[in-house]
Amino acid sequence: MDYQTILNKIQTTLLSVNNTGKVATYIPELESIDPKKFGMHLYCNNAGHYSVGDHQERFSIQSISKVFALTLTLSKLDYNDFFKRVDFEPSGDPFNSLVQLEHENGRPRNPFINAGALVISDLLISHLDKPKEDFLTLIHTITGDKTINFNKKVYASEKKWSYRNASLLNLMKSFDNIHNDLEEVLDFYIYQCAIEMSCKELATAFMIYANRGKTLDNIEIISPEKTKRINAIMQTCGFYDEAGEFSFKVGLPGKSGVGGGIAAIHPGQYAVTVWSPPLNPKGNSELGMLALEKLTTLTGYSIF
Amino acid sequence: MDYQTILNKIQTTLLSVNNTGKVATYIPELESIDPKKFGMHLYCNNAGHYSVGDHQERFSIQSISKVFALTLTLSKLDYNDFFKRVDFEPSGDPFNSLVQLEHENGRPRNPFINAGALVISDLLISHLDKPKEDFLTLIHTITGDKTINFNKKVYASEKKWSYRNASLLNLMKSFDNIHNDLEEVLDFYIYQCAIEMSCKELATAFMIYANRGKTLDNIEIISPEKTKRINAIMQTCGFYDEAGEFSFKVGLPGKSGVGGGIAAIHPGQYAVTVWSPPLNPKGNSELGMLALEKLTTLTGYSIF
Amino acid sequence: MDYQTILNKIQTTLLSVNNTGKVATYIPELESIDPKKFGMHLYCNNAGHYSVGDHQERFSIQSISKVFALTLTLSKLDYNDFFKRVDFEPSGDPFNSLVQLEHENGRPRNPFINAGALVISDLLISHLDKPKEDFLTLIHTITGDKTINFNKKVYASEKKWSYRNASLLNLMKSFDNIHNDLEEVLDFYIYQCAIEMSCKELATAFMIYANRGKTLDNIEIISPEKTKRINAIMQTCGFYDEAGEFSFKVGLPGKSGVGGGIAAIHPGQYAVTVWSPPLNPKGNSELGMLALEKLTTLTGYSIF
Amino acid sequence: MDYQTILNKIQTTLLSVNNTGKVATYIPELESIDPKKFGMHLYCNNAGHYSVGDHQERFSIQSISKVFALTLTLSKLDYNDFFKRVDFEPSGDPFNSLVQLEHENGRPRNPFINAGALVISDLLISHLDKPKEDFLTLIHTITGDKTINFNKKVYASEKKWSYRNASLLNLMKSFDNIHNDLEEVLDFYIYQCAIEMSCKELATAFMIYANRGKTLDNIEIISPEKTKRINAIMQTCGFYDEAGEFSFKVGLPGKSGVGGGIAAIHPGQYAVTVWSPPLNPKGNSELGMLALEKLTTLTGYSIF
C-alpha cells in the first residue's frame, strides 16, 4: 500500500474543497488559529511514517485527551468500579447536554461526553497522587517525547469559560457522583484539554490502540483486552452526535477534538491523525472527517 | 482455531448460568416459546459450519429482519435519497420512542429503530412491484433455502398489537415522511418481523456481510462499499440502547431481535448466530449476549 | 360600568394595531377566512348584551369545544373515574406534543390539550348512547339556539389531516388509555371541533360558567362545585403554552381555538367572547388576546 | 361567615387524617421539625384574625419567599426588562429541573421555580444597594414586625447542599442570564429561603396581595395592577407541578414552601396561611393542601 501517494492525493483533493466549517470561538486562543492549517500523519506497523502538511505543528488536543484519561483510568480500576460511575452507551444528545444526565440521575452516558470525562477526572484524582504529572507522564511515555506540555493561555482561558462544565459538575455532585473538590476536578479536566501535540505525536501515541496496548518501544500501557474495549468505545462514542456518520463513512475507531484534530486507528495496522481547525455544525473537523473518509476509500478497507 | 470446541465450551458454561431474562410477552406466540431453547451456529470462511443445540429450529427473527430490509433498500437507492428520510446515528432512547422522533421532525435516528424500519418499508413499497415477494426472494437467495417463510399466527397477532407502530407511522406521516398507505406500510413491516429462520439459516444469510456483499454461491447482493456501511450501522445501532455494551463486550457488528435471536459477523472471517428466547431488560437475548462475549474472548479477537 | 363604550374603545384601538398574526393554514376552510373579521360580545348578569363588529357571524369554534366536552363528561362521571384517565396540570409542551404523553405513560396532562380531549371523547362514547347528538343538544340547550351545527367541509377537511391526532390516539391505546374504536373516537373529536357558533352564541353558552352551572333559563347543567373546577382548569390550561401569559395579562378563566375565537368569563359577572382569525405564534388569536387584556384594564378588575 | 368555627372544624377533621407526607430531609434543620406541628391563620378584611394550632410559631418560609422577592423586583423594574430574563408560564417539570432550562436557552419558565428565583436574586442584586437588608425591610414593613429574621443554621446548612442550585446558576450563566457573581446570587437566594415567619405573620404579609398592593397600615408596596399580576402568577405557578391540582381543588392564588407552609389569598377578602411540615410527593404540605381545600369548600367560594 503506497500510503504517501494516498496522503498526497487526499491533500490535493481537500485543497479544492469549499470548507464551510468554522473554527471554535468560545475562547480567543482557539478562535485565532489560522483556519488554513492542515496536517495529516499516518504511522503504519512495519511500514513507518507518512505525512503531509502541518503535521509537525502542535495544536490543542482538547477532547482527544479524553481517550488518554480513559486509558489511565482503566489501567488503575476494574470495570465494576468504573461502570457504577459512567456508562458506555452512545449519547443522542449534544456533547455537553444536561438533559440526559438529569434523566439518568447523574451517571453520564459515556466517558467521551464532557460529563463522563469529568467523572473520570474525579476518579483519577481519587486514585493518583499527582494527577497532572501522572497524566503528562503517560503522554510522554507513549510518544517518547518529553517536551509535550499544556498551553497556559488555553488553560487560563478555558477556566474563565467553564460555566457549562461547572453546571455539569454541580449536577453530578447533587447525585453524589463526584467525590472530590469541584474546583480541583474542573481544573484537572481543563488541564488535560489544554495539552498540545502535533499530528505526528498523536499518531505515535495512538499506536498503543493499534498495537493491543503496547507502545512502539514495546511497553505495555494497558492490557490487550482493555485496549479492545477502549477501541469499541471510540467506535460508538468518539464523535459526539456524529459517531454514526463517522462509523458509516470512515469505519475506524477514533476521537475528535474542538481544536480541529482527529485521531483514529485500524487495529493491528496503523494510527492516523489529521488536523484542520474549522469544525462542522456537530463540532468535528470538517476536512478531518473528509480526509479520513477518503483514506479508507482509497486504501479500500476499514474495520468493516 | 477449533471453533467446535469453543462452541461446546460456551454451551456448557451457559447451562450453569442463572438466566434472569424474560421471554417477550406482548404477543402470545412469543410468550409460549420454551425459554430453555438454545442454539448457536458459526459459519467460517474456508472452514465450514459449527453448531450446538437447537441451531436447526426456526424462530421468529423479528428485528433481525431490519438488516435484510436495509440491504434491499440500499441495493435500490443511492445514499442521498436515503439520508433525507432516515439518519444513521445511534439513539439514546428506547427502540420505539416517539420523543426523539418528534424533536427531530419525523426523521428517524437510524434504520434499526422501529421508526426507521417503518420508513424503510415505505421506501421499499415505493420502489418494488411486489415488496413481500421480493423481500422473501432476497432471503431465499442468500440462504439458498426456499422453504423459509413467515409465520401466519405471529403475523396476525402482531397486527392486533401494533398501536405503537401505528402511532409512529401517523407521527411521521404528519411530517410527510411516509408516502404510501399507512396500513400497507405497517402490514409489510409486520410481515418482515414474522419471518422464521434457524440459527443455521441466519448464519448462512449473514455471510454476505462477512464476505463483502456476496453470497456463498458468489452472487453479489450488494456492493462491498455498501456492505461496509451496513456493518458500521450494525456496530453503532444494532442493539437498541445496548449498542455500546455489545460493542464494548463483544466487539462485532450484529443485530438482535425480540424473538431471542442475535446475528453477528467478523468481516472477512465468519458469521455467527445464537438463539435463546429470554430477554434482558433492554430487549436483547440475555444468554445470546453472553454467548457472543465468550466467543470473542475465547477466540481472542474482535474487530477491535 | 358602561360596557358598550368600553367595547367601542377596544375596537377603535385594535383597528390601529399592526396585526402580525397568521390565520391557521392546516386546512383550506380555515385558511380562506377573511383575516379582517373581528367581533366581540359581552353578556353581563343583570345588565344584558353588548357587542361590536362581526359578533353575529358564526365561525369554527375548534378547541373551545373542549370546554363543552369537559362539561358533558363531568356531568356524567365522578372525579375519580376521570382522574385515572386525565390529569389537570398545565402542560409545558405545545398542545399536540407526544413527548410528555409518552413520558407520563399515556395519561394526558389536562383535558384541554389534544390528547386529553381525545380521552374525553373516548369517555363520552363509553357513557352516551348518541354522543354527537347529545353533544349538540348540550350546545342547543345552553345557547337556546337549535340552528347551531357543525360545518361539513371543515369536518371532512380535518379528517384528511388528522395524522397527529391519530398518532396520539394510537400511543394512548398502546397504554390502554383509549377503550373505544380509534376511528370512532377521532371522528367524534373532529365533529366537536367543526361546530360553528357566533360570538353572541358563545357568550350566551359561557354564561353557565359565570353562573355556577346554570343557563340563562335557570336550568342546571352542572353543579356549582364542578363549575368552579372547570373554571380553574380554564385558568391554568386554557391557552396552550400561553396560559401563564393570559392569566398574567387578562386574569380571567377562558379558552381559545385555532379558528380565532376566545371565550372567557368573570365568575358571577359576565361572559365575553372575541373573534379575530389571525393567530400569534402560540396558536391564540392575536387581537383576541389584546382585546381581553384591554377589557380587564378598562373595567379595572379581573378575578385577581 | 363564622371563620373561627370553620377553622376549628378543619383542625378537627385533619387530626383524624392519616398523614402520609414526609418532612423535607435534604437539610437536618428541616428534617428535625416535629411533623405534628399544625397551625392556620386567616386574616379577613373588616373582620379581623382567626387562628388555630401553632399559628404563632415561626417556621422556615423557604419558597414562599419567592413571592416577596418577585414583589420587590416588580416594584423596581418594568415588565419588559423583566420578561427578557424570566417567563411567566407554568412548568411541566419538577421545580429544580435543568431539562426545560436547557431547552429554553437559560430563560426560566417562571419566577417561582428555583431557576427563576435565582434570576430574580440576580436582578435584585443589580438594582439594590443592600439586597439582604432591603429584602428584610420589605418583610418588616408588610408585617409590622421587626423581629422577623433569617435562621442562621438553616442558612448555613442550605449553603452546604446547594449543588442543584449551583448547577442551575452555572447553566444560566453559560447563557449569559446571570450578571452578578454566582456565589453572591446563591448566597442571597439562600438567605431569603432561610427567613422564618409564623402563620400569623405570613397572613398579615399576604394581605398586600388581597388588598391591591397595600399593607394593613395603607402603605402602597406595589401598584394594584402589578398586584393583580403577581396573584395571577401565584395561581398558575405557585405549587410546582401541582398548580393545576391546587387551582382545581382550592381555587385561590397561593404559594407553598418545603418548610411545610402555604400562603393563599382571596382578592379583596382575606389572606390565609397554614403550616404542617410533612410534604406530599410533589413537595407541597399534605395537610396544608387539604386544609385549604376544606376552607374553600366550607366557605362555599373560591375565586372561580
Side-chain angles (χ1 to χ4, degrees):
Chain A
M1 186 71 64
D2 182 358
Y3 284 118
Q4 190 58 50
T5 303
I6 288 172
L7 292 196
N8 293 343
K9 204 179 272 183
I10 292 171
Q11 187 180 32
T12 307
T13 310
L14 293 189
L15 278 173
S16 68
V17 164
N18 176 27
N19 190 345
T20 60
K22 310 274 179 210
V23 297
T25 58
Y26 70 101
I27 59 168
E29 285 70 22
L30 292 180
E31 193 172 6
S32 65
I33 300 288
D34 178 358
K36 299 239 183 272
K37 291 288 179 187
F38 177 81
M40 199 165 176
H41 195 100
L42 187 148
Y43 194 124
C44 185
N45 260 340
N46 314 321
H49 287 273
Y50 305 90
S51 58
V52 289
D54 309 307
H55 72 112
Q56 290 191 296
E57 183 168 338
R58 285 181 179 160
F59 58 90
S60 198
I61 67 168
Q62 295 290 328
S63 288
I64 301 174
S65 66
K66 292 177 168 78
V67 186
F68 303 136
L70 175 64
T71 304
L72 195 53
T73 311
L74 286 182
S75 73
K76 304 287 175 193
L77 274 78
D78 68 29
Y79 292 129
N80 285 345
D81 292 341
F82 197 80
F83 261 122
K84 284 175 208 152
R85 309 280 303 275
V86 191
D87 202 350
F88 288 128
E89 294 302 322
S91 160
D93 278 303
F95 65 100
N96 56 2
S97 171
L98 287 108
V99 173
Q100 209 163 46
L101 193 56
E102 185 177 15
H103 276 149
E104 299 182 357
N105 298 318
R107 180 164 170 259
R109 282 234 118 198
N110 68 64
F112 291 163
I113 53 174
N114 286 17
L118 289 163
V119 170
I120 281 183
S121 292
D122 184 57
L123 279 164
L124 286 174
I125 289 171
S126 297
H127 285 82
L128 300 176
D129 285 338
K130 300 175 175 174
K132 287 183 182 179
E133 280 179 52
D134 292 354
F135 187 79
L136 199 54
T137 299
L138 169 70
I139 291 176
H140 290 169
T141 307
I142 60 182
T143 55
D145 187 328
K146 298 199 172 180
T147 69
I148 292 171
N149 212 328
F150 75 108
N151 180 309
K152 283 175 190 165
K153 281 188 190 167
V154 169
Y155 168 80
S157 208
E158 302 242 24
K159 290 209 93 166
K160 277 193 213 143
W161 298 102
S162 57
Y163 297 113
R164 269 285 173 144
N165 287 323
S167 182
L168 291 167
L169 271 175
N170 276 286
L171 179 59
M172 292 190 290
K173 181 75 180 175
S174 77
F175 286 111
D176 198 29
N177 199 20
I178 296 291
H179 300 168
N180 295 285
D181 178 70
L182 303 194
E183 283 300 324
E184 191 184 352
V185 176
L186 189 56
D187 177 73
F188 181 35
Y189 170 80
I190 289 171
Y191 170 87
Q192 297 162 38
C193 292
I195 282 170
E196 290 187 322
M197 296 170 76
S198 68
C199 283
K200 184 179 180 182
E201 289 155 359
L202 262 179
T204 308
F206 264 65
M207 282 308 283
I208 62 170
Y209 307 112
N211 280 335
R212 303 166 61 80
K214 288 187 176 169
T215 68
L216 297 175
D217 303 325
N218 223 26
I219 304 166
E220 183 173 294
I221 299 297
I222 190 159
S223 73
E225 191 259 343
K226 286 184 171 173
T227 305
K228 171 185 120 178
R229 297 191 171 197
I230 292 170
N231 292 346
I233 300 173
M234 282 201 266
Q235 185 73 35
T236 47
C237 314
F239 293 85
Y240 310 125
D241 201 23
E242 208 173 21
E245 183 145 345
F246 190 78
S247 192
F248 183 79
K249 289 191 176 162
V250 179
L252 298 176
K255 184 75 199 81
S256 69
V258 292
I262 302 179
I265 57 138
H266 192 145
Q269 313 256 348
Y270 63 73
V272 61
T273 51
V274 57
W275 174 47
S276 165
L279 308 177
N280 67 23
K282 296 203 168 172
N284 299 308
S285 170
E286 179 157 317
L287 292 194
M289 298 289 277
L290 204 52
L292 294 175
E293 183 181 356
K294 290 203 174 304
L295 177 70
T296 52
T297 304
L298 292 169
T299 59
Y301 55 74
S302 73
I303 60 170
F304 302 117
Chain B
M1 186 72 64
D2 182 358
Y3 285 118
Q4 188 59 49
T5 303
I6 289 172
L7 293 196
N8 292 343
K9 202 178 275 184
I10 292 170
Q11 186 181 31
T12 306
T13 310
L14 294 189
L15 279 174
S16 68
V17 164
N18 175 25
N19 189 346
T20 60
K22 310 274 178 211
V23 296
T25 58
Y26 69 101
I27 58 168
E29 285 71 20
L30 292 180
E31 195 173 6
S32 64
I33 299 288
D34 178 358
K36 300 245 184 264
K37 291 288 179 185
F38 177 80
M40 200 166 174
H41 194 99
L42 187 148
Y43 193 123
C44 186
N45 260 339
N46 314 318
H49 288 270
Y50 305 90
S51 58
V52 288
D54 308 307
H55 72 110
Q56 289 192 295
E57 183 169 337
R58 286 182 178 159
F59 58 90
S60 198
I61 66 170
Q62 294 291 327
S63 288
I64 302 174
S65 66
K66 291 177 168 77
V67 186
F68 303 137
L70 175 64
T71 304
L72 195 53
T73 310
L74 286 181
S75 73
K76 304 287 175 191
L77 273 79
D78 67 28
Y79 291 130
N80 285 345
D81 292 341
F82 196 79
F83 261 121
K84 284 176 207 151
R85 308 281 303 276
V86 191
D87 202 349
F88 288 129
E89 294 302 324
S91 161
D93 279 302
F95 65 99
N96 55 2
S97 170
L98 287 108
V99 173
Q100 209 163 43
L101 193 56
E102 185 176 15
H103 277 149
E104 299 183 357
N105 297 317
R107 182 167 169 257
R109 282 235 119 198
N110 68 64
F112 292 163
I113 54 173
N114 286 18
L118 288 163
V119 169
I120 280 182
S121 292
D122 184 57
L123 279 164
L124 287 175
I125 289 170
S126 297
H127 285 81
L128 300 175
D129 284 338
K130 299 174 175 173
K132 288 184 182 178
E133 280 180 51
D134 292 355
F135 188 80
L136 199 55
T137 298
L138 170 70
I139 291 177
H140 290 169
T141 306
I142 61 182
T143 54
D145 188 326
K146 298 197 172 180
T147 70
I148 293 170
N149 212 328
F150 75 107
N151 181 310
K152 281 174 191 169
K153 281 188 190 165
V154 169
Y155 168 80
S157 207
E158 302 243 24
K159 290 209 93 167
K160 277 195 214 141
W161 298 103
S162 56
Y163 297 115
R164 268 287 171 143
N165 288 323
S167 182
L168 290 166
L169 271 175
N170 275 285
L171 180 58
M172 293 192 288
K173 180 74 181 176
S174 78
F175 286 112
D176 199 28
N177 200 19
I178 295 291
H179 300 168
N180 295 285
D181 178 70
L182 304 193
E183 283 299 324
E184 191 183 351
V185 175
L186 189 56
D187 176 74
F188 181 36
Y189 171 79
I190 289 172
Y191 170 87
Q192 297 161 40
C193 293
I195 283 171
E196 290 187 323
M197 295 170 76
S198 68
C199 284
K200 183 178 182 185
E201 289 155 358
L202 262 180
T204 308
F206 263 65
M207 283 306 285
I208 63 170
Y209 307 113
N211 279 337
R212 302 165 62 80
K214 288 187 177 168
T215 67
L216 297 175
D217 303 326
N218 222 28
I219 304 167
E220 183 172 295
I221 298 297
I222 191 159
S223 73
E225 190 260 344
K226 286 183 171 173
T227 304
K228 172 185 119 179
R229 298 191 171 197
I230 292 169
N231 292 345
I233 301 173
M234 282 199 268
Q235 185 73 36
T236 47
C237 314
F239 293 85
Y240 311 126
D241 202 22
E242 207 172 22
E245 183 145 345
F246 190 79
S247 191
F248 183 79
K249 290 192 175 159
V250 179
L252 298 177
K255 184 75 199 82
S256 69
V258 292
I262 302 180
I265 57 140
H266 193 147
Q269 313 256 351
Y270 62 73
V272 61
T273 52
V274 58
W275 174 47
S276 166
L279 309 177
N280 67 22
K282 297 203 168 173
N284 299 308
S285 170
E286 180 157 316
L287 292 194
M289 298 289 277
L290 204 51
L292 294 176
E293 184 182 355
K294 293 206 173 301
L295 177 70
T296 52
T297 304
L298 292 170
T299 59
Y301 53 73
S302 73
I303 61 170
F304 303 116
Chain C
M1 187 71 64
D2 182 357
Y3 284 119
Q4 189 60 48
T5 303
I6 288 173
L7 293 195
N8 293 343
K9 203 178 273 183
I10 292 171
Q11 187 180 32
T12 306
T13 310
L14 294 189
L15 279 173
S16 68
V17 164
N18 176 27
N19 189 345
T20 60
K22 309 275 180 210
V23 296
T25 57
Y26 69 100
I27 59 167
E29 284 70 22
L30 291 180
E31 195 174 5
S32 64
I33 298 289
D34 178 359
K36 299 240 183 270
K37 291 289 179 187
F38 177 80
M40 199 165 176
H41 195 99
L42 187 148
Y43 193 122
C44 186
N45 260 339
N46 315 319
H49 288 271
Y50 305 89
S51 58
V52 289
D54 308 308
H55 73 111
Q56 290 192 294
E57 184 169 337
R58 287 181 178 160
F59 58 90
S60 197
I61 66 169
Q62 294 290 329
S63 288
I64 301 173
S65 65
K66 292 178 168 77
V67 186
F68 303 136
L70 175 64
T71 304
L72 195 53
T73 310
L74 286 182
S75 73
K76 304 286 175 192
L77 273 78
D78 67 29
Y79 291 129
N80 285 345
D81 293 341
F82 195 79
F83 261 122
K84 284 175 207 151
R85 308 281 302 276
V86 191
D87 202 349
F88 287 129
E89 293 303 323
S91 160
D93 278 302
F95 65 102
N96 55 1
S97 172
L98 287 108
V99 173
Q100 209 163 44
L101 192 56
E102 185 177 13
H103 276 148
E104 299 181 358
N105 297 319
R107 181 165 169 257
R109 282 234 119 198
N110 68 63
F112 292 163
I113 53 174
N114 286 17
L118 288 164
V119 169
I120 281 184
S121 292
D122 185 56
L123 279 164
L124 287 175
I125 289 171
S126 297
H127 285 82
L128 299 176
D129 285 337
K130 299 174 176 175
K132 288 184 182 179
E133 279 179 51
D134 292 354
F135 187 80
L136 198 55
T137 298
L138 169 71
I139 291 176
H140 290 169
T141 306
I142 60 182
T143 55
D145 187 326
K146 298 199 172 179
T147 69
I148 293 171
N149 211 328
F150 75 108
N151 180 310
K152 284 175 188 165
K153 281 187 189 166
V154 169
Y155 168 79
S157 208
E158 302 243 25
K159 291 209 90 165
K160 278 194 211 142
W161 298 104
S162 56
Y163 298 113
R164 268 288 172 141
N165 287 323
S167 182
L168 291 166
L169 271 175
N170 276 285
L171 179 60
M172 293 191 288
K173 180 74 182 175
S174 78
F175 286 112
D176 199 28
N177 199 19
I178 295 290
H179 300 167
N180 294 285
D181 178 71
L182 303 193
E183 284 298 324
E184 192 183 351
V185 175
L186 188 56
D187 177 73
F188 181 36
Y189 171 79
I190 289 173
Y191 170 87
Q192 297 161 39
C193 292
I195 282 171
E196 290 187 322
M197 295 171 75
S198 68
C199 283
K200 185 179 180 183
E201 290 155 358
L202 263 179
T204 308
F206 264 65
M207 282 305 285
I208 63 171
Y209 307 111
N211 279 337
R212 303 167 62 82
K214 288 188 178 169
T215 67
L216 296 175
D217 302 326
N218 223 26
I219 303 166
E220 184 172 293
I221 299 297
I222 190 158
S223 73
E225 191 261 343
K226 287 184 171 173
T227 305
K228 172 185 120 179
R229 297 191 171 197
I230 292 170
N231 292 346
I233 301 172
M234 282 200 267
Q235 186 73 35
T236 46
C237 314
F239 293 85
Y240 310 126
D241 201 23
E242 207 172 22
E245 183 147 345
F246 190 78
S247 192
F248 183 79
K249 289 192 175 160
V250 180
L252 297 177
K255 183 76 200 81
S256 69
V258 292
I262 301 179
I265 58 138
H266 193 147
Q269 313 257 349
Y270 61 74
V272 60
T273 52
V274 57
W275 174 46
S276 165
L279 308 177
N280 67 21
K282 296 204 167 171
N284 299 309
S285 170
E286 180 158 317
L287 292 194
M289 299 288 277
L290 204 52
L292 294 176
E293 183 181 357
K294 290 202 175 305
L295 177 69
T296 51
T297 304
L298 291 171
T299 59
Y301 55 74
S302 72
I303 61 169
F304 302 117
Chain D
M1 186 74 63
D2 182 356
Y3 285 117
Q4 190 59 49
T5 304
I6 288 172
L7 293 195
N8 293 343
K9 202 178 275 185
I10 292 170
Q11 187 180 32
T12 307
T13 310
L14 293 188
L15 279 173
S16 68
V17 164
N18 175 26
N19 189 347
T20 60
K22 310 274 178 211
V23 297
T25 58
Y26 69 101
I27 59 169
E29 285 70 21
L30 292 180
E31 195 173 6
S32 64
I33 299 288
D34 178 358
K36 300 245 185 265
K37 291 289 179 186
F38 177 81
M40 199 166 174
H41 194 98
L42 187 147
Y43 193 122
C44 186
N45 261 339
N46 314 319
H49 287 271
Y50 305 90
S51 59
V52 289
D54 309 307
H55 72 111
Q56 289 191 295
E57 183 168 338
R58 285 180 180 162
F59 58 91
S60 198
I61 66 169
Q62 295 290 328
S63 288
I64 301 174
S65 66
K66 291 178 169 76
V67 186
F68 303 136
L70 175 65
T71 304
L72 195 53
T73 310
L74 286 182
S75 74
K76 304 286 176 191
L77 274 78
D78 67 28
Y79 291 130
N80 285 344
D81 292 341
F82 196 80
F83 261 123
K84 285 175 206 150
R85 309 280 302 277
V86 191
D87 201 350
F88 287 129
E89 294 302 323
S91 161
D93 279 304
F95 66 100
N96 57 0
S97 170
L98 288 108
V99 172
Q100 209 163 44
L101 194 56
E102 185 177 16
H103 277 149
E104 299 182 357
N105 298 318
R107 182 166 168 257
R109 282 235 119 197
N110 69 63
F112 291 163
I113 53 174
N114 286 18
L118 288 163
V119 169
I120 280 181
S121 291
D122 184 57
L123 280 163
L124 286 175
I125 289 171
S126 297
H127 285 82
L128 300 175
D129 284 337
K130 300 175 174 172
K132 287 183 182 179
E133 280 180 50
D134 293 354
F135 188 79
L136 199 54
T137 298
L138 170 71
I139 290 175
H140 290 169
T141 306
I142 60 182
T143 55
D145 188 327
K146 299 198 173 180
T147 70
I148 293 171
N149 212 329
F150 76 106
N151 181 310
K152 282 175 190 165
K153 281 188 190 166
V154 168
Y155 168 80
S157 208
E158 302 242 24
K159 290 209 94 166
K160 277 194 214 141
W161 298 103
S162 56
Y163 298 114
R164 268 286 172 142
N165 287 324
S167 182
L168 290 167
L169 271 175
N170 275 285
L171 180 59
M172 293 191 288
K173 181 74 180 176
S174 77
F175 287 112
D176 199 29
N177 200 20
I178 295 292
H179 300 167
N180 294 286
D181 178 72
L182 303 193
E183 283 300 324
E184 192 183 351
V185 176
L186 189 57
D187 177 73
F188 181 36
Y189 170 80
I190 289 171
Y191 169 87
Q192 297 161 41
C193 292
I195 283 171
E196 290 186 323
M197 295 170 75
S198 69
C199 283
K200 184 178 181 184
E201 290 155 356
L202 261 180
T204 307
F206 263 65
M207 281 307 283
I208 63 170
Y209 307 111
N211 279 337
R212 302 165 64 79
K214 288 188 175 166
T215 67
L216 295 175
D217 302 327
N218 222 27
I219 304 167
E220 183 173 296
I221 299 296
I222 190 157
S223 72
E225 191 259 344
K226 286 183 170 172
T227 305
K228 171 184 120 178
R229 299 192 172 197
I230 292 169
N231 292 345
I233 300 173
M234 282 200 267
Q235 185 72 36
T236 47
C237 314
F239 292 85
Y240 311 126
D241 202 23
E242 207 172 19
E245 183 145 345
F246 190 77
S247 192
F248 182 79
K249 290 192 175 159
V250 178
L252 298 177
K255 185 74 200 82
S256 69
V258 293
I262 302 179
I265 57 139
H266 193 147
Q269 314 256 351
Y270 62 73
V272 61
T273 51
V274 58
W275 175 47
S276 166
L279 309 176
N280 67 21
K282 296 204 167 172
N284 299 308
S285 169
E286 180 157 315
L287 291 193
M289 298 290 277
L290 204 52
L292 294 175
E293 183 181 355
K294 292 207 174 300
L295 177 69
T296 52
T297 304
L298 290 170
T299 59
Y301 55 73
S302 74
I303 62 169
F304 302 117

